[in-house]
């Protein structure tokens, strides 16, 4: 059987570890979707996402749509013929995007869903004094972070662990998951 065509969607450094692990494990990544370049810092120099930098280093086909419902983007995405899509720290996808591949679209989320749905789950776990958090992979559906769970992995939070330390620990474990 042929390997499935996989499209990866992500933007920050947290996403790069998973994309790298996929490539290291022979996943056939046929395209990468990330946020458009934008001004950043004091000088407002145009900056590219961590995922874009990595995709360019690996010569992966790259799309940077400003509008995920744009017919031209949807046409370009369909042309990649994805069998499966993997989403890590991207943005909410319209149904036309997440329903496209025959094997579905799944997301890696940095919490033990249903806890801490939405943005900043690492920060919320620390703010609320949790002793453990984790990672969840699940198939996307209409409501944010509510789809059928595939895997979950618990991760303990150290007594004085910072958001940055927990981020890095979850990033590495998430890539393995």
């Amino acid at each position: 059987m042929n390997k499935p065509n996989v499209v990866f969607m992500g933007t920050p450094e947290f996403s790069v570890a998973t994309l790298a692990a996929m490539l290291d494990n022979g996943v056939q990544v046929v395209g990468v979707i990330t946020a458009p370049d934008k001004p950043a810092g004091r000088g407002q120099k145009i900056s590219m996402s961590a995922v874009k930098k990595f995709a360019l280093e690996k010569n992966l086909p790259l799309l940077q749509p400003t509008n995920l419902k744009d017919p031209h983007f949807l046409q370009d995405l369909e042309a990649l013929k994805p069998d499966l899509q993997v989403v890590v720290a991207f943005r909410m996808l319209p149904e036309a995007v997440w329903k496209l591949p025959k094997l579905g679209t799944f997301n890696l989320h940095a919490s033990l869903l249903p806890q801490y749905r939405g943005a900043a789950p690492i920060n919320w776990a620390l703010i609320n004094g949790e002793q453990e958090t984790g990672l969840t992979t699940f198939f996307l559906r209409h409501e944010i972070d509510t789809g059928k769970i595939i895997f979950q992995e618990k991760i303990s939070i150290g007594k004085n662990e910072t958001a940055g330390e927990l981020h890095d620990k979850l990033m590495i474990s998430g890539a393995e998951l």
Side-chain angles (χ1 to χ4, degrees):
M1 184 183 153
N2 292 338
K3 289 183 181 180
N5 289 338
V6 178
V7 167
F8 181 84
M9 299 180 188
T11 299
E13 191 66 39
F14 190 91
S15 307
V16 174
T18 299
L19 179 55
M22 290 169 58
L23 294 173
D24 289 347
N25 285 284
V27 173
Q28 188 167 292
V29 178
V30 296
V32 174
I33 317 297
T34 193
D37 299 347
K38 61 182 181 185
R42 246 183 218 185
Q44 292 293 289
K45 288 175 65 177
I46 298 299
S47 176
M48 63 178 85
S49 75
V51 166
K52 179 179 180 177
K53 289 175 191 169
F54 184 80
L56 291 173
E57 287 171 15
K58 299 297 182 183
N59 294 313
L60 296 169
L62 184 67
L63 298 173
Q64 293 182 270
T66 53
N67 178 354
L68 296 174
K69 293 180 180 178
D70 180 281
H72 297 292
F73 164 68
L74 293 173
Q75 201 171 31
D76 291 343
L77 181 59
E78 284 181 37
L80 296 172
K81 296 183 170 68
D83 296 309
L84 178 70
Q85 293 175 144
V86 176
V87 181
V88 182
F90 192 50
R91 60 192 201 225
M92 196 163 161
L93 301 178
E95 185 172 346
V97 173
W98 61 260
K99 268 198 162 176
L100 178 66
K102 64 183 175 191
L103 298 176
T105 299
F106 75 85
N107 186 21
L108 169 66
H109 187 75
S111 81
L112 294 172
L113 291 175
Q115 215 175 13
Y116 304 119
R117 288 186 176 123
I122 295 169
N123 301 72
W124 283 115
L126 290 171
I127 289 167
N128 291 330
E130 302 290 352
Q131 293 181 4
E132 75 175 10
T133 187
L135 298 150
T136 304
T137 54
F138 64 96
F139 282 100
L140 294 186
R141 64 179 212 182
H142 287 284
E143 299 80 19
I144 193 162
D145 298 340
T146 61
K148 183 176 180 348
I149 291 174
I150 304 166
F151 296 113
Q152 284 193 313
E153 181 178 322
K154 291 181 180 181
I155 306 285
S156 62
I157 299 175
K159 186 173 168 92
N160 296 311
E161 195 158 21
T162 66
E165 292 164 343
L166 184 56
H167 168 279
D168 292 352
K169 189 161 67 172
L170 288 166
M171 178 177 67
I172 292 164
S173 293
E176 292 169 2
L177 186 64

